[in-house]
Amino acid sequence: MRGAVAAAWARAVTAGALPPLPEGTPTPGVEVERPADPAHGDFASNLALRLARPCRRPPLEIARALADALADGAPDASGRRLLGAAEAAAPGFLNLRLDDALIARQVDAILAAGPAYGRVASDEAEWFNVEFVSANPTGPLHIGNARGAFVGDSLSRLLEAAGHRVTREYYFNDFGSQIRELGESVRVARAGGPMDEAPYRGDYVLELAADAPDEVVREAEAPGGDAAWAYGAWASEWIRAGIEATMGRLGCHFDVWRSEGTLHRDGWIARGVERLRSSGDLYESEGALWFRSTAYGDDKDRVVRRSNGEYTYFAADIGYLVDKFSRGFDHLVYVWGEDHHGTVARVRNAAQALGYRPESVEMLLYSWVRFLRDGAPVGMSKRGGTFITLDELLDEVGVDAARWFFASRGHTSPLDFDIELAKRQAPENPVYYVQYAHARISSILRVAREKGLSAEGGDTTLLRDPIELGLARALLRLPEVVEDGAAAHEYHELTAYAQELAAVFHAFYRDRRVVDAAAPDVSRARLALVDAARQTIACALGLLGISAPESM
RNA sequence: GUCCCCGUAGCUCAGUGGACAGAGCAGCGGUCUUCUAAACCGCCGGCCGCAGGUUCGAAUCCUGCCGGGGACGCCA
């Protein structure tokens, strides 16, 4: 569509209907958007408004010239009509309407695409590494981890739909003192000691203590054995497996579980540091090794190796960068809580110093969610054990409702999530509104089958009235929602679209009867239409990891 | 102190340069003998935090201020 407008502009200039741009004027980009008001057509361009000043002509006059030029060249290369109408509107918008027959024909294309409808083939397919959650395995996932989990998985699904390849990755620390503290907590629990002396005090520590297998206990309690380490190593793996199970419940499966320990053992950290040293980005001072982050715009240099010889977390970040890029990714996405804001600059700087394109490293920071119960904030402390687990949240409000809640908000918005309110409003939640549309259509299809009617052989050229075409138009927007969302790394437009699509369907349902034994041809055409609608809703929900029930 | 995010309807949030600022929930009033009423229709509800500026046009961009959250240590 953008190309059609640009071509029309060129034709208008050649034909002398519009003056050429004066020398030295930057060419305005041709912008085409979906107007908010359907009366303004399927697409609209502000090109005339942008050309008014350089061309020294009234915008409306320019818009008229563009509309005329578009009408001249309406049939595309294959001779089909794309445009139904092109008209100028005050103050200078160019409103475009697709040809109705073309819209109706697309219903067949949607049905032919099947569940793959909405998936876009990208000209510039890239391989993304999306790293998210990455909570240390010192306790079960809690509601504080929820947003990162949903954000990361929803984004991954969207990128895949847009034709990219995605590796979902979870990074965890099985190396540092936190694991030792976890093990110590298990030891204290087994010894029946007072838990308020243990570093971690949640109920799950008691469960771990009770479930520790004999061989772990033998190793831990052996004379001269390192009890904290032995318990910690076992417990952290046990917890990690639990995290994997919780994520599986959300429909999220990580491709790679990367541990900081293996990063050290496999030499990635030393390798990364060495590369920075040879590129001259490191220096020693006060016995510590520093990265010259200020050379890349940071406000201070950053320590890589402490004076006691230990690598910092930042050093692990450096090694991890080298590790990730060595695996062939084009693009790294880090989904982090906003508390990581301070580490963004140094990691990107390190990537640049290592010779990677800075644009290929993206940090997606999400804002905190304030969890409430009947208006009162829910406290959260992993060490103190006073937290609500993600599993408990899912038990209470359900996977579909939770996924919708997080997917329908931009990740930079601070959110309030009232658990009691979410449960109480569950039936009114927009996610059920969308699912209901899917169930309703499924029901129509069932009824049709009982009456011997199906979409099979439906002639979509019979779809001509505005109600039918309005629904068909709504269906056609899915691919561009996917494309735009993936390009912007924003998925919440999908929820808005799904809701709107459901609303259009519900209105259609009110106004047009689908199954009518007296009019089998119309019935079959409309069955094709609603089946395409069902499929489109299922695709949109699928991209959000939400189920599409056949009945409710 | 420096930096980042946010401030839009009673509540939770979309909209981030275009055509009258939207949705859901909550509230009020209507609609089921007919493919699922978890639906539909109508009403109520906004100095888009405040003040300047840029623009043909600003909720959107710039500056300052106010309010909320967060980050800044050779910490992990």
Side-chain angles (χ1 to χ4, degrees):
Chain A
M1 192 51 63
R2 192 173 296 129
V5 175
W9 178 22
R11 274 199 304 276
V13 172
T14 310
L18 286 177
L21 281 176
E23 283 298 313
T25 313
T27 309
V30 177
E31 294 173 13
V32 173
E33 59 171 19
R34 289 284 193 171
D37 185 344
H40 296 141
D42 293 308
F43 297 94
S45 178
N46 61 0
L47 182 61
L49 288 160
R50 299 173 69 99
L51 287 176
R53 174 170 290 239
C55 290
R56 298 171 156 277
R57 291 278 198 86
L60 200 54
E61 191 178 305
I62 298 174
R64 286 203 185 98
L66 289 172
D68 290 345
L70 272 164
D72 289 344
D76 71 1
S78 57
R80 282 178 176 167
R81 282 185 65 80
L82 284 175
L83 276 180
E87 52 199 35
F93 287 100
L94 182 62
N95 292 335
L96 310 169
R97 184 170 290 279
L98 293 172
D99 183 61
D100 285 348
L102 173 80
I103 300 276
R105 224 171 18 237
Q106 293 304 313
V107 170
D108 294 320
I110 294 172
L111 287 173
Y117 180 59
R119 299 194 171 262
V120 181
S122 173
D123 305 334
E124 298 163 357
E126 290 191 293
W127 190 10
F128 283 79
N129 174 290
V130 181
E131 184 215 314
F132 57 108
V133 185
S134 296
N136 282 339
T138 53
L141 291 182
H142 53 81
I143 51 181
N145 303 122
R147 195 168 197 178
F150 292 118
V151 165
D153 187 59
S154 297
L155 176 65
S156 297
R157 286 168 186 260
L158 189 54
L159 289 171
E160 284 170 337
H164 299 294
R165 181 177 170 197
V166 176
T167 293
R168 292 170 176 75
E169 185 148 330
Y170 190 114
Y171 177 63
F172 63 102
N173 180 356
D174 57 350
F175 188 77
S177 58
Q178 291 181 54
I179 300 303
R180 187 170 285 279
E181 290 181 2
L182 174 67
E184 172 62 11
S185 303
V186 173
R187 191 196 63 75
V188 170
R190 282 194 63 87
M195 286 310 288
D196 49 355
E197 285 175 15
Y200 291 93
R201 296 183 280 277
D203 290 343
Y204 68 95
V205 175
L206 301 177
E207 286 173 35
L208 285 167
D211 291 350
D214 293 341
E215 61 269 26
V216 172
V217 176
R218 259 198 307 278
E219 185 194 340
E221 306 293 346
D226 187 342
W229 184 252
Y231 281 129
W234 167 77
S236 66
E237 172 49 28
W238 199 86
I239 289 171
R240 192 210 59 77
I243 289 172
E244 187 165 11
T246 301
M247 293 303 296
R249 243 183 114 180
L250 304 181
C252 174
H253 303 279
F254 287 98
D255 302 297
V256 176
W257 294 80
R258 193 69 166 127
S259 90
E260 191 184 340
T262 61
L263 224 47
H264 275 90
R265 276 196 296 281
D266 297 345
W268 289 106
I269 294 171
R271 210 165 294 147
V273 170
E274 207 39 55
R275 274 177 59 176
L276 287 180
R277 193 198 300 278
S278 54
S279 64
D281 290 292
L282 298 181
Y283 65 91
E284 293 206 32
S285 173
E286 301 167 53
L289 191 60
W290 298 70
F291 169 60
R292 209 180 299 278
S293 197
T294 49
Y296 299 90
D298 202 350
D299 53 359
K300 61 183 77 164
D301 290 338
R302 306 291 174 174
V303 172
V304 170
R305 200 182 56 215
R306 286 191 276 275
S307 50
N308 66 6
E310 280 179 27
Y311 285 118
T312 59
Y313 257 47
F314 178 46
D317 289 335
I318 293 167
Y320 197 20
L321 273 171
V322 176
D323 163 49
K324 278 180 176 170
F325 276 116
S326 77
R327 285 184 268 149
F329 302 112
D330 301 305
H331 210 90
L332 308 183
V333 179
Y334 293 79
V335 178
W336 282 342
E338 64 175 341
D339 57 329
H340 279 67
H341 153 67
T343 62
V344 169
R346 78 191 67 158
V347 173
R348 296 193 71 146
N349 291 346
Q352 200 177 344
L354 288 163
Y356 305 117
R357 291 180 308 123
E359 321 83 77
S360 63
V361 178
E362 183 186 355
M363 283 75 179
L364 198 153
L365 303 183
Y366 59 86
S367 298
W368 295 138
V369 180
R370 205 162 57 117
F371 285 91
L372 310 168
R373 236 184 226 293
D374 282 328
V378 177
M380 232 182 338
S381 158
K382 201 194 262 189
R383 285 178 184 262
T386 58
F387 56 83
I388 298 172
T389 65
L390 185 48
D391 276 316
E392 286 163 344
L393 180 75
L394 297 179
D395 290 341
E396 289 203 54
V397 305
V399 173
D400 289 342
R403 283 201 77 124
W404 181 277
F405 180 88
F406 286 101
S408 58
R409 274 86 172 167
H411 57 82
T412 56
S413 294
L415 297 180
D416 280 353
F417 189 113
D418 192 311
I419 297 167
E420 294 305 321
L421 205 61
K423 272 161 58 183
R424 223 176 298 140
Q425 290 180 352
E428 276 76 49
N429 190 305
V431 71
Y432 299 108
Y433 176 84
V434 177
Q435 290 181 317
Y436 181 62
H438 185 272
R440 227 178 188 184
I441 298 172
S442 301
S443 174
I444 293 174
L445 296 173
R446 273 194 301 272
V447 169
R449 254 196 313 278
E450 285 162 16
K451 298 189 175 175
L453 285 167
S454 80
E456 200 70 30
D459 179 3
T460 51
T461 61
L462 295 175
L463 302 172
R464 288 184 195 134
D465 78 59
I467 304 288
E468 294 164 332
L469 292 171
L471 178 54
R473 282 189 151 87
L475 303 182
L476 291 177
R477 284 186 44 213
L478 178 63
E480 73 186 50
V481 170
V482 168
E483 214 162 4
D484 293 350
H489 293 191
E490 284 284 0
Y491 38 80
H492 73 255
E493 173 108 357
L494 259 175
T495 58
Y497 170 69
Q499 205 170 337
E500 198 182 303
L501 178 54
V504 172
F505 167 73
H506 285 309
F508 170 88
Y509 179 88
R510 176 198 62 213
D511 294 331
R512 292 290 179 271
R513 195 176 167 82
V514 176
V515 181
D516 181 358
D521 288 340
V522 172
S523 290
R524 274 191 284 269
R526 288 184 180 163
L527 280 167
L529 176 61
V530 298
D531 197 21
R534 185 196 55 72
Q535 196 177 285
T536 305
I537 292 170
C539 289
L541 288 174
L543 288 174
L544 295 163
I546 294 170
S547 66
E550 307 238 316
S551 66
M552 288 174 74

